[in-house]
């Protein structure tokens, strides 16, 4: 990978030392229940029920309930000297807001986050609990007004802020990629091969870091991006061979509604991913219910969508000799939406 902006495996390794100062490793959990489901769906010749395993990386276990804290911590560490006493400014649908707020608390930095007025209240409360200041914007009209980016720029200019991007930044990508190293090292320590890796894509900060780690450890694994049907800009981008923007992405997956993937993320994703798939909101709701019923795991829609995608793959698409790993990116869902998902048929 010779592109000057592409994050490297060495940067992920360096970021690991940073993350370990603040967070313990997020466990990789074997799903016996999913193995049984796939054995029934794919048949014994697929290897399930004998030698293949399915693993869940559940980032709901972090102190902010999502993976975003890793990228935020590495970004804050990387830029701590430049920040000094200036406020850190970012936009976020919610999880990066709480991750950056947590990082600001750990490094003693003021954080101001611009969030949509529709952000889940659990994400608002988490962000405030770690000390960040929240300023909201009208999401419904942002595609016309561009108010989100204007607010960020105004705060930076008027309050001498330092901008932090939720996904389009090498330090964020490297910090998030620490989780990918954890997955790889755990599988290797168990002597497990990997044939399929499923992870959600929005701006690309999560998948970019994980793809670097997974490809390095398991070069033959299929790395599969997952998006909502109403926000599948990366899937469209792959077909077009260039970044495609969706001005009004729509889904219950509030964490997967970026307009397009980032400039730093695109060369990584377009190079390392085998393909991208999408799932409907109904399929995602069913996946939320399945995770809770079979594992007692609470997931937000943006986290459960990877399971939704896995469960709709054909026998042929899942054929292979290695294990399958999926990322559950977070658990921050408001109670009414979670309760609704538990009732879907």
């Amino acid at each position: 990978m010779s592109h000057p902006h592409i994050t490297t495996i060495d940067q992920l390794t360096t970021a690991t030392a940073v993350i370990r100062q603040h967070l313990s490793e997020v466990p990789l959990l074997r799903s016996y229940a999913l193995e049984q489901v796939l054995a029934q769906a794919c048949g014994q010749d697929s290897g399930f029920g004998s030698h293949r395993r399915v693993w869940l990386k559940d980032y709901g276990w972090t102190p902010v309930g999502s993976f975003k804290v890793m990228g935020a911590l590495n970004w804050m560490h990387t830029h701590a000297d430049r920040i000094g006493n200036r406020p850190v400014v970012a936009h976020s649908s919610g999880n990066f807001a709480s991750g950056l707020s947590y990082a600001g608390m750990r490094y003693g930095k003021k954080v101001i986050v611009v969030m949509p007025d529709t952000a889940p209240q659990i994400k608002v409360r988490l962000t405030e609990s770690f000390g960040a200041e929240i300023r909201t914007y009208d999401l419904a009209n942002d595609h016309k007004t561009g108010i989100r980016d204007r607010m960020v720029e105004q705060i930076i200019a008027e309050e001498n802020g330092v901008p932090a991007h939720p996904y389009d930044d090498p330090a964020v990508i490297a910090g998030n990629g620490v989780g990918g190293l954890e997955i790889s090292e755990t599988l290797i320590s168990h002597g497990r091969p990997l044939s399929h890796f499923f992870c959600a894509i929005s701006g690309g900060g999560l998948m970019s870091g994980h793809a670097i780690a997974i490809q390095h450890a398991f070069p033959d694994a299929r790395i599969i991006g997952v998006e909502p049907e109403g926000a599948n800009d990366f899937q469209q981008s792959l077909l077009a061979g260039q970044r495609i923007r969706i001005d009004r992405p729509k889904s219950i997956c509030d964490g997967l509604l970026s307009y397009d993937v980032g400039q730093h993320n695109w060369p990584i994703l377009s190079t390392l991913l085998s393909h991208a798939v999408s799932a409907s909101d109904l399929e995602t709701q069913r996946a939320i219910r399945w995770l809770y019923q079979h594992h007692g795991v609470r997931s937000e829609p943006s986290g459960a969508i990877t399971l939704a995608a896995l469960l709709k793959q054909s026998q042929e698409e899942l054929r292979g000799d290695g294990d399958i790993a999926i990322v559950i990116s977070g658990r921050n869902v408001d109670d009414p939406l979670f309760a609704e998902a538990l009732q879907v048929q």
Side-chain angles (χ1 to χ4, degrees):
M1 294 186 294
S2 59
H3 192 286
H5 298 300
I6 289 187
T7 308
T8 66
I9 193 72
D10 289 339
Q11 289 170 289
L12 270 64
T13 302
T14 300
T16 300
V18 174
I19 302 305
R20 286 294 167 266
Q21 297 175 38
H22 308 280
L23 304 178
S24 299
E25 182 174 332
V26 173
L28 186 66
L29 308 173
R30 182 178 175 185
S31 176
Y32 298 93
L34 262 178
E35 291 169 15
Q36 185 176 19
V37 169
L38 294 180
Q40 293 172 346
C42 298
Q44 292 300 318
D45 64 335
S46 66
F48 288 105
S50 56
H51 65 276
R52 298 181 75 187
R53 298 177 183 175
V54 182
W55 304 88
L56 308 179
K57 186 72 165 180
D58 177 18
Y59 288 109
W61 289 99
T62 72
V64 304
S66 83
F67 75 94
K68 289 281 191 178
V69 67
M70 297 186 301
L73 282 166
N74 196 51
W75 184 91
M76 194 71 72
H77 174 86
T78 302
H79 298 283
D81 291 341
R82 180 167 71 95
I83 296 166
N85 293 322
R86 300 161 65 190
V88 175
V89 185
H91 66 76
S92 170
S93 63
N95 280 333
F96 187 70
S98 59
L100 194 65
S101 183
Y102 183 86
M105 178 189 71
R106 295 290 296 176
Y107 283 87
K109 308 297 183 183
K110 179 181 179 180
V111 173
I112 303 172
V113 187
V114 175
M115 296 177 68
D117 53 358
T118 57
Q121 285 304 298
I122 187 172
K123 297 182 180 181
V124 172
R125 291 193 298 270
L126 266 173
T127 301
E128 291 177 334
S129 74
F130 299 120
E133 177 185 343
I134 296 174
R135 303 182 190 179
T136 59
Y137 68 94
D138 177 12
L139 176 63
N141 293 305
D142 185 52
H143 66 290
K144 299 177 183 177
T145 64
I147 185 63
R148 181 195 71 182
D149 291 341
R150 289 214 318 273
M151 286 178 66
V152 170
E153 292 167 2
Q154 183 177 5
I155 297 168
I156 292 169
E158 295 181 357
E159 302 181 42
N160 195 27
V162 179
H165 202 282
Y167 53 85
D168 198 359
D169 186 288
V172 171
I173 294 170
N176 292 335
V178 170
L181 287 180
E182 293 174 356
I183 294 171
S184 300
E185 290 167 359
T186 299
L187 291 175
I188 291 170
S189 71
H190 285 78
R192 304 303 306 176
L194 185 71
S195 63
H196 295 72
F197 177 73
F198 290 82
C199 181
I201 295 180
S202 181
L206 174 64
M207 176 57 110
S208 294
H210 279 62
I212 292 168
I214 297 298
Q215 193 276 335
H216 179 78
F218 303 100
D220 295 328
R222 302 185 73 188
I223 302 175
I224 302 157
V226 181
E227 297 175 291
E229 287 182 350
N232 66 334
D233 58 279
F234 178 72
Q235 198 172 34
Q236 294 182 37
S237 299
L238 277 183
L239 292 173
Q242 61 181 356
R243 292 164 65 221
I244 298 296
R245 177 184 172 93
I246 296 180
D247 287 331
R248 301 193 71 181
K250 295 181 180 179
S251 174
I252 61 170
C253 302
D254 61 283
L256 302 181
L257 299 181
S258 65
Y259 302 126
D260 52 14
V261 299
Q263 294 182 11
H264 290 92
N265 312 93
W266 169 247
I268 301 171
L269 299 173
S270 60
T271 301
L272 299 184
L273 270 62
S274 62
H275 64 289
V277 297
S278 61
S280 70
D281 284 351
L282 179 58
E283 290 165 337
T284 298
Q285 287 180 309
R286 289 171 176 158
I288 292 173
R289 184 186 66 183
W290 193 96
L291 279 170
Y292 188 70
Q293 289 180 338
H294 291 84
H295 291 302
V297 170
R298 183 184 178 101
S299 174
E300 62 185 278
S302 303
I305 193 172
T306 48
L307 173 61
L310 172 62
L311 292 175
K312 67 186 293 187
Q313 299 305 296
S314 68
Q315 178 179 346
E316 184 61 32
E317 289 167 327
L318 293 180
R319 190 176 301 279
D321 293 324
D323 293 355
I324 295 174
I326 69 173
V327 169
I328 309 299
S329 61
R331 66 174 56 170
N332 297 320
V333 56
D334 285 341
D335 288 340
L337 183 59
F338 184 66
E340 180 182 341
L342 296 184
Q343 299 302 316
V344 298
Q345 302 298 318

